[in-house]
Amino acid sequence: MTTTNGQWFPPTWPERIRALTAGTLEPVVPRRAATVLLLRDADGGPAVHMLRRRASMAFAAGAYAYPGGGVDPRDERPVAWAGPAPRTWAARLGEGLDPASAQAIVCAAVRETFEESGVLLAGPDEESVVADTTGEDWEADRRALVSRELSFADFLARRSLVLRSDLLGPWARWITPEFEERRYDTWFFVTALPPGQRTRDVSGEADRTVWLRPAEAVAGYDRGEMTMLPPTIATLRKLLPYDSAGAALEGAAMGRDLTPVLARADLVGDEIVLTWPGHEEFTKRMGAAE
């Protein structure tokens, strides 16, 4: 279910919202996750890599999104690490995270980007990044990561690679609404496409991948031609002021507000009023018949 723009709302929400407000629905505990806005410089400013979720997906089918996914418990395993220490990331990501949890979130961001786009933010040492991940041996490892046959820590260790956490910038944090069936506590990051690497259409969850300037993607959403979840379009709009991938990364380094955004649902008579604090464009009113 969508509105006149590209905003996506599941048809199950009204019933679940009423059950939640009536106290008959127990919210699902959100799973930690990470999502990455992968940028590269293009004519007229940076372009962002986006995937369109397959029509067969149970959640947000047909919606455009970024590479990302849930934290694997094994993402807490020790890895060779470059950039801010996990304890520093814990302070940056907020909400009383311990260093192990912060490391897992950063590892998930790097792992999921590789799994869903073939881009790897890791290198032989603290100052380099692998230049090419398109060979069959890389593809075999990528598939093993996707199937969870291989942990990310073992993948890095076997290839003697250092995770480049310094190439990521924290961008935002959104928590799936309490009335949703699948819930995620998601940290959004920005990064630039490493020199020599290129994205590949390898995600099993997507039927299309594109590079778009943020303004193009926002216009597509506003016209109702591109469906997106609220955090996707909100993070895209935050990219509009930046004229390069480097500028966006500098903006991420300046201490962005990572207060989690969580939707609020109120019953006003028979009408549901759905709001996202700080994001008035997503406010929706649903009548008794919906």
Side-chain angles (χ1 to χ4, degrees), residues 1 23 25 45 82 85 101 123 135 150 161 188 198 209 220 245 252 283:
M1 177 168 66
L25 176 67
S101 296
L150 178 66
L161 293 176
F188 289 75
R198 58 185 176 88
T209 61
T283 298

Side-chain angles (χ1 to χ4, degrees), residues 124-181:
D125 54 51
E126 296 182 354
E127 297 181 353
S128 62
V129 182
V130 294
D132 184 12
T133 62
T134 59
E136 180 52 38
D137 59 332
W138 287 104
E139 180 59 17
D141 280 350
R142 190 197 65 80
R143 290 195 297 264
L145 287 168
V146 171
S147 67
R148 299 297 181 260
E149 296 172 25
L150 178 66
S151 74
F152 193 54
D154 289 343
F155 163 72
L156 294 176
R158 191 169 71 190
R159 289 183 172 270
S160 299
L161 293 176
V162 178
L163 184 146
R164 292 289 307 275
S165 81
D166 55 316
L167 300 181
L168 288 167
W171 197 247
R173 181 183 177 190
W174 287 66
I175 301 177
T176 311
E178 291 182 325
F179 42 82
E180 180 53 67
E181 297 174 61

Side-chain angles (χ1 to χ4, degrees), residues 43-196:
D43 293 339
V48 61
H49 181 65
M50 304 191 76
L51 304 85
R52 186 175 65 187
R53 293 173 60 82
R54 292 186 181 277
S56 58
M57 297 297 292
F59 179 77
Y64 282 83
Y66 315 114
V71 168
D72 182 335
R74 299 175 298 174
D75 289 333
E76 293 190 4
R77 293 181 181 177
V79 297
W81 187 275
R87 65 178 179 275
T88 303
W89 276 106
R92 294 177 75 181
L93 298 178
E95 290 286 316
L97 284 174
D98 58 82
S101 296
Q103 175 193 298
I105 292 164
V106 173
C107 280
V110 176
R111 175 178 52 74
E112 288 284 343
T113 300
F114 179 58
E115 288 181 12
E116 298 198 349
S117 74
V119 171
L120 182 61
L121 304 177
D125 54 51
E126 296 182 354
E127 297 181 353
S128 62
V129 182
V130 294
D132 184 12
T133 62
T134 59
E136 180 52 38
D137 59 332
W138 287 104
E139 180 59 17
D141 280 350
R142 190 197 65 80
R143 290 195 297 264
L145 287 168
V146 171
S147 67
R148 299 297 181 260
E149 296 172 25
L150 178 66
S151 74
F152 193 54
D154 289 343
F155 163 72
L156 294 176
R158 191 169 71 190
R159 289 183 172 270
S160 299
L161 293 176
V162 178
L163 184 146
R164 292 289 307 275
S165 81
D166 55 316
L167 300 181
L168 288 167
W171 197 247
R173 181 183 177 190
W174 287 66
I175 301 177
T176 311
E178 291 182 325
F179 42 82
E180 180 53 67
E181 297 174 61
R182 296 173 180 82
R183 300 191 64 212
Y184 296 93
D185 184 353
T186 305
W187 281 262
F188 289 75
F189 298 86
V190 291
T191 193
L193 180 68

Side-chain angles (χ1 to χ4, degrees), residues 8 67 229:
W8 181 82
L229 296 172

Side-chain angles (χ1 to χ4, degrees), residues 1-9 221 224 227 281-284:
M1 177 168 66
T2 60
T3 59
T4 52
N5 55 19
Q7 189 173 348
W8 181 82
F9 288 101
Y221 169 89
T227 302
E281 72 165 297
F282 304 129
T283 298
K284 181 174 177 61

